Amino acid sequence: MNTQASALRFFFTITLGRADLAHQLARTHYPRKLPRVLAADQVARLIEASPGPGLKYKAALGIAYGAGLRGGEVVMLRVGDIDSKRMLIRVEMGKGRKDRHAMLSPQLLELLRAWWLQCRSRGWLFPGRDPLLPITVRQLNRVCHMAAEAAGLGSWVTPHTLRHSFATHLLESNIDVRVIQVLFETTTNCPPTADGDADHVSVPSALWRNGTCSEAIRLSWD
């Protein structure tokens, strides 16, 4: 319904130049449910249960959790996006077609290096059957479901569940919610502050690049 309402609003407002005809078009609001998350030991079991051969999918699910990346961001990573000197992961054309940097922990770097020694890829970090192409989001989801079944977890587990779990574990470790906001490059609802009365407060990315949250995450298998 929302898609159709948006199309009609565009048609009346832009195509016909009759914005008055779009006044009665309303949007349907859906309930916002809290995402389901995994406990730290469940994340470890899920990653350990990743199908082989090799460390390909263990590394892919590990980076989805350890850096809080979306599935689409994981599959599009290239080897050159892993910056071991600055301990950053470059994410190009993420959600909203925006580039950003994600956090790289020493444990995750060790896992990625072990995977690279197996694949020796010079292009995609997780190449598909055709080495010129990366694995697909669908393939990553299928592997995640296989690992969840092998680990005795629910069928509801997806790569995005790992992203939510990453944020929840940081919050449970008493990491400030605004630091988590910066790590995810997203907007968090915050109370008004002295420097602004808006509900949405932006934190510059330099906050964690300067070491504010260098201890924010330790992977569950550490």
Side-chain angles (χ1 to χ4, degrees):
M1 289 179 62
N2 287 339
T3 302
Q4 294 172 357
S6 297
L8 288 171
R9 188 176 292 106
F10 181 91
F11 176 71
F12 291 141
T13 306
I14 306 299
T15 307
L16 299 183
R18 293 287 307 276
D20 57 299
L21 298 178
H23 288 333
Q24 300 299 321
L25 292 173
R27 291 184 59 83
T28 300
H29 296 282
Y30 297 94
R32 299 185 63 179
K33 299 180 180 180
L34 289 174
R36 299 176 68 179
V37 298
L38 298 170
D41 64 310
Q42 291 177 318
V43 172
R45 283 164 44 200
L46 175 73
I47 296 175
E48 282 298 327
S50 301
L55 297 172
K56 180 176 183 178
Y57 296 117
K58 183 176 181 179
L61 295 179
I63 203 170
Y65 171 72
L69 301 187
R70 301 175 179 89
E73 296 170 343
V74 171
V75 301
M76 296 305 293
L77 287 175
R78 295 180 179 272
V79 174
D81 294 331
I82 308 301
D83 189 342
S84 58
K85 292 183 179 179
R86 299 171 62 202
M87 297 304 287
L88 295 174
I89 300 172
R90 178 177 174 81
V91 180
E92 295 186 349
M93 302 295 286
K95 188 174 182 179
R97 302 181 68 82
K98 293 186 295 185
D99 295 348
R100 64 187 176 93
H101 285 94
M103 191 175 173
L104 177 62
S105 71
Q107 295 81 14
L108 180 56
L109 177 60
E110 183 180 348
L111 176 61
L112 293 177
R113 280 176 170 169
W115 158 238
W116 186 84
L117 289 174
Q118 290 183 0
C119 72
R120 296 285 182 176
S121 172
R122 297 189 179 275
W124 301 108
L125 184 59
F126 303 110
R129 291 183 178 179
D130 182 349
L132 297 179
L133 298 174
I135 61 173
T136 63
V137 176
R138 182 179 180 181
Q139 186 176 354
L140 183 63
N141 273 286
R142 183 168 61 249
V143 167
C144 185
H145 288 308
M146 292 171 59
E149 182 178 355
L153 304 174
S155 58
W156 54 271
V157 179
T158 67
H160 207 74
T161 304
L162 296 174
R163 176 175 163 87
H164 288 306
S165 300
F166 170 77
T168 302
H169 296 164
L170 291 181
L171 196 61
E172 291 173 346
S173 300
N174 297 320
I175 303 300
D176 190 274
V177 68
R178 300 197 185 192
V179 174
I180 300 175
Q181 170 192 349
V182 172
L183 287 172
F184 277 66
E185 294 284 352
T186 186
T187 305
T188 302
N189 288 325
C190 298
T193 60
D195 57 348
D197 54 2
D199 289 335
H200 299 284
V201 182
S202 236
V203 181
S205 298
L207 178 67
W208 67 272
R209 291 176 192 160
N210 290 341
T212 301
C213 44
S214 59
E215 297 298 325
I217 181 174
R218 298 194 66 82
L219 294 181
S220 55
W221 59 77
D222 177 34

